[in-house]
Amino acid sequence: MGFFIGVERNVKIYVEDINPSGNKTILFIHGWPGNHNLFEYQFNQLPKVGYRCIGIDCRGFGLSDRPWTGYDYNRLSDDIRSVVHALRLKNFILGGHSTGGAICVRYMARHNGYGVSKLALFAAAAPSLIQRPYFPYGLQKQAVINIIQGIYTDRPKALRDFGNMIFYNPVSKPLSYWIFQLGLQAASWSTAAIANTWLGEEGLFYDLKTIKVPTLILHGINDQVCLYPLAVSQKNSIKNSKLVPFEACGHFLFYDQRERFNSELIQFIEE
């Protein structure tokens, strides 16, 4: 069941609510530059074991509205809060991939984890996607600048190049093309704006330390986008957390190793 929820004046977010009568709820936040459809292979399986799965398209992506502004982590986490309020969600599991994971971290800090019983981070872009003087573990800043320049000059090529980084294990050309098309559905300005957010000082180092709920961290050892040391930093910062490394696995771990991914997530939900 798909519908739209207003998050601020003239801005609506698309929401897909699968198995609304499920006994436990998982709210999924996608990464850049996709949309909720990236979790297709979770939406196919998790409702079979009784879960309610909710996927949203972040503003500027998928079917959601595409305002010119509002692509910092504060506003994006406020959008989640609006969805949580509209759907009256309580005791739900919040899960985020890549930049979606960073948005979830900000939600936990900015909104005191409102309604969240457990947090799951999938190859999350936290505490920082790029290297900094005090954090030498991310991508080089120039790599992100190159992505942004590519979006403004040849967005299809930039997305193709990104697509070549996300898998460790080979995937079919149709699957690769499908993910590429999901990226093209986003507005070019929102695609660039999110990438610019990676360069800013978003303060996720502090945000991680505010998280108090049980947290699952799933991360591919061979991730070329959000490098594995990010997961170690998350584990060291979140007191009640569990890190599960995925061997022979890249950034899109929910495809690279989808059976194990789903199994680990279900086990965490049932604990």
Side-chain angles (χ1 to χ4, degrees), residues 155-223:
R155 185 164 66 109
K157 182 181 183 302
L159 297 187
R160 279 291 196 191
D161 291 344
F162 179 74
N164 292 332
M165 297 174 61
I166 60 179
F167 293 110
Y168 179 80
N169 299 298
V171 298
S172 69
K173 289 184 178 179
L175 178 61
S176 178
Y177 181 73
W178 175 66
I179 292 175
F180 171 62
Q181 289 296 320
L182 294 183
L184 286 178
Q185 289 176 21
S188 57
W189 55 89
S190 56
T191 306
I194 292 290
N196 269 295
T197 297
W198 301 333
L199 300 176
E201 294 284 349
E202 284 284 354
L204 294 178
F205 293 89
Y206 168 79
D207 290 3
L208 286 169
K209 296 181 183 298
T210 70
I211 297 171
K212 298 179 176 62
V213 300
T215 301
L216 176 67
I217 302 166
L218 303 180
H219 212 109
I221 293 288
N222 309 98
D223 195 327

Side-chain angles (χ1 to χ4, degrees), residues 125-137:
S128 174
L129 183 69
I130 65 168
Q131 296 177 11
R132 302 181 187 276
Y134 49 88
F135 188 75
Y137 305 114

Side-chain angles (χ1 to χ4, degrees), residues 16-81:
E16 191 77 36
D17 194 349
I18 304 160
N19 192 28
S21 61
N23 55 25
K24 293 184 179 180
T25 300
I26 311 116
L27 175 59
F28 289 89
I29 312 300
H30 66 83
W32 180 96
N35 55 53
H36 79 278
N37 287 295
L38 287 175
F39 295 110
E40 176 173 314
Y41 292 91
Q42 285 64 59
F43 297 159
N44 285 344
Q45 298 300 322
L46 297 182
K48 291 180 180 179
V49 293
Y51 299 150
R52 176 188 187 185
C53 294
I54 302 172
I56 74 170
D57 288 349
C58 294
R59 64 169 59 207
F61 296 82
L63 298 176
S64 290
D65 287 343
R66 305 172 173 189
W68 180 250
T69 60
Y71 299 101
D72 60 279
Y73 290 153
N74 282 348
R75 180 63 254 181
L76 294 166
S77 71
D78 290 350
D79 290 350
I80 295 176
R81 180 66 180 86

Side-chain angles (χ1 to χ4, degrees), residues 11 64 66 74 81 83 106 108-109 124 132 162 225 228 234:
V11 179
S64 290
R66 305 172 173 189
N74 282 348
R81 180 66 180 86
V83 171
R106 175 53 51 86
M108 297 302 294
R132 302 181 187 276
F162 179 74
V225 180
Y228 184 74
Q234 294 161 27

